[in-house]
Amino acid sequence: MRMKEAAYYISNPDGTVVCTLCPHRCKIDEAKCGRCRSRMNRGGHLYSLAYARICAMHADPMEKKPLFHFLPGATCFSIASAGCNLSCLNCQNWSVSQVSPMEIPSQTLLPEDCVRLAKKYGCRAVAYTYTEPLTYLEYVRDCASACQEAGVKNVLVTAGYVNEVPLRDLLPFIDAVNIDLKSFSDEVYRKVSRVRLQPILDTLLAMRDAGVWIEITRLLIPGISDGEEDIRAMCHWLMEHGFADNPLHISRFFPRYKLQDIDATPLSALLSARRMAQEEGMRFVYIGNTSLADAENTYCPKCGSLLVKREGYAVSSGSFSGICPACGADIAGVWTF
């Protein structure tokens, strides 16, 4: 069995361990795993079953993460190990996120191999994605450190449910993040994902303070997370805390996993949510998981000029490098290497 000792835990005299990676603080008996299914107690020590055990790897467009204001048109080397510390009823990747790394096929990918393959496939960044990379944070940190030394950028796609110390250890190696902000209701978070809202907000603030480029995805589940009060409260908080220029991706829900009895989000609800976010002051609001015209283009918030045109994953930005050619406005983001 391939395992690596974890970095964040407390050993108890009775042989149990307490994992301190995330706010669950799982108390784990011998030979058992925590809620993420990827951190096991063996002999009073906590081990990561996910370290270097990769269940998926692909070369993806940066826009698929989605990241629209971070190196548009670039390709990233996406990797994942199994496990997640959320239990979302609507999970799109439940076959790899809601299982142990021991339960599905995998291959070994050491940090130095991650860098080598990223360069082999012409990727300027590595993305830790598909499942919840914070549950195998030790591996992400080691890969991200190796990538940083080699001049390869690091992208994190996460739900953000993590404790302060582990996150602080990781952030110096992360260049950009897309974080799911599933709702602005603690009740919805508890009902749909079995976690709390506040730790995700704390993660957003820590990432902001660390200078990481942040984009936010908000899935609209009809009857659950599509209410006007919830959307406006979220945008108001984002505005108050300095996220007005960070892209907000309003994403369409499709029936998945344990929420197959709910219809897909109506297009009218997506358009309404974008309008509300713009009314609250968010400057870059996109609509994802649709074929709506103009839903993913970037426009200058000052003069309205089209800056980046997107059709699917095809990106046309000409010579745009962060300054509006029409009015000279600075457009927030990381536009060039």
Side-chain angles (χ1 to χ4, degrees):
M1 181 184 295
R2 185 171 63 249
M3 298 188 298
K4 184 177 178 69
E5 187 168 3
Y8 306 100
Y9 72 95
I10 299 168
S11 294
N12 292 324
D14 63 0
T16 63
V17 300
V18 176
C19 178
T20 59
L21 179 66
C22 88
H24 289 313
R25 293 185 63 88
C26 295
K27 186 177 181 181
I28 307 171
D29 292 328
E30 169 68 22
K32 300 295 184 181
C33 291
R35 287 176 60 171
C36 68
R37 305 173 181 84
S38 66
R39 300 168 78 80
M40 176 180 279
N41 177 0
R42 294 298 297 269
H45 296 271
L46 189 65
Y47 289 87
S48 171
L49 303 179
Y51 192 96
R53 189 187 294 269
I54 297 303
C55 64
M57 63 173 75
H58 301 281
D60 287 329
M62 192 69 72
E63 287 70 24
K64 190 176 180 180
K65 298 303 103 187
L67 288 170
F68 282 9
H69 288 218
F70 185 80
L71 307 180
T75 302
C76 53
F77 182 56
S78 297
I79 60 174
S81 183
C84 185
N85 55 351
L86 277 69
S87 303
C88 298
L89 300 177
N90 60 294
C91 184
Q92 296 184 63
N93 296 322
W94 59 270
S95 62
V96 290
S97 71
Q98 302 300 305
V99 297
S100 164
M102 309 299 295
E103 296 175 331
I104 59 174
S106 63
Q107 61 188 91
T108 300
L109 187 73
L110 297 174
E112 56 268 29
D113 297 324
C114 177
V115 176
R116 177 180 56 81
L117 287 180
K119 290 190 170 185
K120 176 182 176 180
Y121 295 119
C123 300
R124 301 296 297 271
V126 170
Y128 311 94
T129 181
Y130 304 139
T131 57
E132 177 47 75
L134 293 177
T135 61
Y136 45 96
L137 185 146
E138 295 90 349
Y139 176 63
V140 172
R141 185 189 59 210
D142 289 351
C143 286
S145 176
C147 286
Q148 190 177 80
E149 289 181 10
V152 176
K153 302 294 186 183
N154 291 290
V155 169
L156 193 67
V157 182
T158 177
Y161 204 66
V162 66
N163 284 333
E164 178 185 358
V165 171
L167 180 63
R168 188 173 65 228
D169 291 344
L170 176 63
L171 287 181
F173 304 104
I174 300 300
D175 298 287
V177 61
N178 185 293
I179 187 166
D180 284 337
L181 188 49
K182 301 173 185 295
S183 171
F184 211 70
S185 162
D186 192 69
E187 180 182 355
V188 169
Y189 258 102
R190 289 176 183 271
K191 175 183 177 181
V192 175
S193 304
R194 294 183 63 204
V195 297
R196 295 177 286 116
L197 169 62
Q198 188 59 50
I200 288 94
L201 301 182
D202 294 340
T203 293
L204 272 167
L205 296 177
M207 290 174 169
R208 178 203 64 187
D209 293 346
V212 175
W213 177 251
I214 300 168
E215 303 197 15
I216 298 155
T217 293
R218 170 62 186 264
L219 183 71
L220 291 191
I221 305 177
I224 293 177
S225 61
D226 61 342
E228 178 173 354
E229 182 178 348
D230 190 301
I231 293 167
R232 289 192 182 276
M234 176 191 73
C235 293
H236 182 70
W237 185 91
L238 291 171
M239 290 293 300
E240 272 194 332
H241 291 86
F243 294 98
D245 284 320
N246 294 88
L248 174 63
H249 301 263
I250 304 292
S251 187
R252 191 182 193 191
F253 165 85
F254 289 97
R256 291 290 187 273
Y257 194 36
K258 297 181 180 180
L259 286 186
Q260 298 195 34
D261 57 340
I262 297 178
D263 292 335
T265 316
L267 298 182
S268 59
L270 299 167
L271 292 166
S272 178
R274 180 173 66 176
R275 174 184 54 78
M276 286 186 276
Q278 291 169 334
E279 288 174 353
E280 293 296 329
M282 298 297 292
R283 296 189 181 98
F284 302 100
V285 187
Y286 302 102
I287 299 176
N289 284 349
T290 77
S291 56
L292 286 170
D294 239 18
E296 297 187 327
N297 292 338
T298 298
Y299 293 91
C300 176
K302 184 176 180 181
C303 73
S305 295
L306 176 62
L307 303 174
V308 182
K309 183 175 179 60
R310 299 180 182 87
E311 295 183 24
Y313 295 131
V315 179
S316 176
S317 58
S319 59
F320 176 67
S321 60
I323 304 294
C324 177
C327 71
D330 287 324
I331 308 300
V334 180
W335 301 102
T336 57
F337 290 98

